[in-house]
Each structure stands twice: as C-alpha cells, then as structure tokens.
Amino acid sequence: EVQLIQSGAEVKKPGESLRISCQASGYTFTNYWIAWVRQMPGKGLEWMGIIFPGDSKTKYSPSFQGQVTISADTSLTTAYLQWSSVKASDTAIYYCARHPGNYKLWSGFFDFWGQGTLVAVSS
Amino acid sequence: QSVLTQPPSASGTPGQRVTISCSGSSSNIGSNAVTWYQQFPGTAPKLLIFSNNQRPSGVPDRFSGSKSGTSASLAISGLQSGDEADYYCAAWDVSLNAWVFGGGTKLTAL
C-alpha cells in the first residue's frame, strides 16, 4: 500500500528555521517524483516544487524559487521541505504528493498525497 | 489570481448532471493534459481524473473529464450528497515551467 506520511504540525516564530518531512512507503522511492503543494487558509492549491529522489533533480515554481529548499534522503525514503527563515505568510497546510516517474513532468499527475502538515507562524 | 480559471461554486440536485469548467491558455491546457482533484474539508486532495479523461482505479464512472482547446470540464452524473467537495483542475504551464492549479470550485448538492 502506497503511503506518504508527513510530520506533525509546527508552530514557529518569524525568522525561525523549519524543516517538514514526508516519509514514503509501499513503492520504490527512487522511481517517482515527490512534489510539495501549499494550501493557505481557506485558499486553493499552489505547486511549490518537485524532486526526483533517484537523482535529486529538483524543479521549483518561480513563486517559490529561493524561498524554500526541497531535498530527499533515499536511505530514509523521505522528502523534505525547508525554510531558513519563516514568515507569517508561510502559515498554511503543506502537502507532499507523488508523481509517476514514467510520465514526463508536464504530462503526469499527483496520484498519492500525504495527509498534510500544518505550519503556523506567529510572533 | 489563479492561472487556471474555475467558477467558485457549482450546485445541483441529487441525481442531476453537473459540470465544472476550467479555462486556461495555450501555454497550459492548450499544450498539456489536464488533471482534476477532489478535496473534502480537512482532508488531502485526491486524484479524480488524469490525462484529460482517465479515471484512476476506484473512481466511479459517474466522474468524467474532457478537454477542448484551452478549456477543460469535469462532469459528475447522478450527483450525490457525498460528492460535495472542492474540485481543482491542474495542468503544466510551459511558460512558467510549473504546475498550475485552478482556484477551485465548491460543489453543493441542493
């Protein structure tokens, strides 16, 4: 059974660093892309970026380039999303989602999703 | 402002057929396949339609997708109260070099 299990909710102050995780199981981690998607309170979905754990190739949305870092640890079958300095505007639910590796990025889809990690940033 | 445009809401009576539209441009829907996701309150999105009109295993055939030019549609036939959710379209945008989503449509069964 494919599962993406995300780390728990985080409460941070502006300026703090943060890393959230997405542990994959039930499939070959290195054969699929893992994306991160943001959902701000009461708003829609926004694609942040994606990583192919097999070779660590990473692509970011222009809106999030330089704002976050996506990485993966194949030994732990875990993908990460990190901030060096969070802002109040980073308050949102963050989802990880799997993208089939046998599809080109532009023709694929997100077939399994994590349960989401709530990040709250407030002074 | 989302790159893909969806109506904020849609509704229908149980048993009715409802459609949700998704409008884009030549750099996204006009160039690439469309996917649709269903999201119930407080839960993660779920893949509903991929490659414009393909249903993943387990998705009822009451749900169907279509695409024409720079627009796409999701149709739900035999509407049920359990279909009340938010629905999002998505496609790869070749100009932005990124996945883009619609703003979402809240479906209500009257």
Side-chain angles (χ1 to χ4, degrees):
Chain A
E1 178 194 9
V2 173
Q3 285 193 304
L4 298 175
I5 305 297
Q6 297 185 229
S7 49
E10 300 273 2
V11 179
K12 291 290 186 180
K13 295 188 185 314
E16 292 185 330
S17 63
L18 172 64
R19 188 177 78 168
I20 62 175
S21 66
C22 170
Q23 184 172 32
S25 62
Y27 71 96
T28 303
F29 184 62
T30 52
N31 288 354
Y32 292 78
W33 297 81
I34 291 283
W36 287 94
V37 176
R38 182 175 80 173
Q39 187 166 38
M40 299 179 77
K43 301 299 184 182
L45 305 173
E46 299 174 272
W47 182 77
M48 302 176 71
I50 197 166
I51 187 167
F52 190 73
D55 59 11
S56 295
K57 182 175 181 178
T58 308
K59 186 175 287 293
Y60 293 92
S61 162
S63 299
F64 293 93
Q65 180 81 49
Q67 307 304 307
V68 296
T69 301
I70 295 172
S71 60
D73 185 328
T74 56
S75 65
L76 298 177
T77 65
T78 299
Y80 302 97
L81 177 66
Q82 66 182 63
W83 295 258
S84 59
S85 178
V86 294
K87 305 183 288 290
S89 59
D90 293 319
T91 294
I93 295 174
Y94 294 87
Y95 294 101
C96 62
R98 191 184 79 160
H99 180 294
N102 59 334
Y103 278 76
K104 300 292 185 184
L105 266 184
W106 51 87
S107 63
F109 44 88
F110 304 112
D111 58 357
F112 285 92
W113 294 66
Q115 82 277 19
T117 295
L118 173 63
V119 172
V121 182
S122 174
S123 55
Chain B
Q1 193 85 351
S2 301
V3 175
L4 304 181
T5 301
Q6 297 180 235
S9 63
S11 63
T13 56
Q16 197 173 21
R17 184 176 186 269
V18 176
T19 61
I20 297 173
S21 62
C22 176
S23 176
S25 69
S26 58
S27 64
N28 40 66
I29 293 178
S31 308
N32 294 295
V34 176
T35 59
W36 289 90
Y37 300 91
Q38 177 189 57
Q39 185 180 34
F40 294 105
T43 70
K46 170 192 166 186
L47 178 65
L48 201 60
I49 297 287
F50 68 97
S51 297
N52 302 322
N53 55 18
Q54 302 300 301
R55 283 186 309 277
S57 173
V59 173
D61 59 7
R62 300 186 298 105
F63 295 89
S64 62
S66 63
K67 185 182 102 167
S68 178
T70 59
S71 294
S73 292
L74 173 70
I76 306 168
S77 61
L79 183 67
Q80 301 176 0
S81 58
D83 298 331
E84 290 195 326
D86 293 324
Y87 293 85
Y88 294 91
C89 59
W92 180 265
D93 190 293
V94 299
S95 296
L96 295 172
N97 215 20
W99 278 92
V100 292
F101 286 90
T105 298
K106 184 177 184 62
L107 177 62
T108 302
L110 300 171

